[in-house]
Amino acid sequence: MNYQESAQWVEDFEGKDVPPTLIKSGQGGWIRFEDGRRAFEAVSGHSCLNLGHAHPELLETAGHALSTLSYCSPEHYSDSSLALAERLSELLGGAYRIKYALSGSSANEIAMTIARRHWEGTGKPAKRIAISLDRSYHGNMGQAQFATGYEAFRVSGYSDHSDYVHVPCARNPASGKLFSTEEIRALLEARIAQIGQDNIACMIVEPINFAGGVIVPPDGYLAIIHELCRRHDITLIVDEVITGFGRSGKWFAFQKEGIRPDIVTMGKGITAGYFPLAAVAVTNSLYMALRESKVPLKKVITMAGHPVGCEVALKNIEITARDGLCKRAEENAGIFCEVLKPLERLRSIKEVRGVGHMWALEFADFDQQKAPEIAKMVAARCEDENCIVAASAGIIRINPPLNSSIAEISFACSTLVNAVEYVDDCC
Ligand SMILES: Cc1ncc(COP(=O)(O)O)c(C=O)c1O
């Protein structure tokens, strides 16, 4: 089939045509292409396939849920949506209210709207600005596209919106090194003073900028942001769309810092990729303040909180807990580190970094080759060897399903190592 002429419009993140590949089926962490070749999804589909394909318990749950209640409108409760809300609140430490959404973008859209409505409702309508990080990705719909700070994933052609201000993440853009926590505090404090806290509604942060190159901040980073937000009356939104549900080694990556965000957004791995579902968790106190101010939210999404998605999410959480997958992700970090870190000796590698099941190789320009080209060559070589990794802006990301076997993780890592060594040799 000539894919370029098919009726389906498919784009990759950089606006170029995707390679003409058709996936016929999937089993565990592996997919099968139309030519019969199998490949390991070392990027968990699109960072969502936490339990691999065709997990028998998820399939049975989805089938049962469909035949019990095939749909429930967002104006009503279902047993499934109530049970999932309780479970999510419990995982977050309790006393959160859950509003359902459909995608990471829509969850972040709702979260920023909640923050603005809250300040409107408390008589501070000038507090409108959303602060986000320069290496962030929050989605490419609605407000999420303006909050996205990482140039490689910005929607080009739109001018910047004055209600969205990007500040440096934990990494110094000039040196490429991490800022110290004291530098971060001083930098953010200065930016808040410059913008004026009376103009700022919220700060939205990923605990680890994943699409932005797996930037793992120093310990204490989120605690500083949390404290600054408290002190300056800024609603803190933590975007756990990628990091949530075990990928960082915790249920939610912010939990490492012992903080309690005002709002947490989640998507992707919530249903292990089996059903479109996202959620916005809001502290009870923020929820009550919104109710009292009577400023309507008006964010109704027909398919949000679908009972099938909620049941699948509950089962996914049950399996993740039962099989100890958060702990496993934390322990597996040792394997990624041991196999990938030695690549830093090569000319083409700038840095290897990561936590849990989320790792990145950052490439360096050398000789005539630019880092983005080298990363793409390495990714293509991996794919030839039946291992799918993600390359963008000179960085390769690898984040396999949480229930991958040690053999599968070793396969993904050694394929990547071989590909880097091969390309490094050729350059
Ligand atoms: C941290 C983060 N937030 C939000 C999104 C957007 O999610 P979606 O593609 O479901 O809209 C993504 C997608 O990769 C993400 O990585």
Side-chain angles (χ1 to χ4, degrees), residues 13 46-47 102-108 136-141 144 148 204-211 239-243 265 267-268 277-278 397:
F13 272 122
H46 205 72
S47 305
L102 213 49
S103 63
S105 275
S106 64
N108 287 329
S136 63
Y137 181 71
H138 297 294
N140 50 22
M141 300 285 166
T148 289
I204 178 166
V205 288
E206 293 167 82
I208 297 159
N209 294 118
F210 180 75
D239 178 344
E240 293 267 3
V241 169
I242 283 221
T243 43
T265 57
K268 290 193 184 261
L277 183 75
R397 284 165 285 128

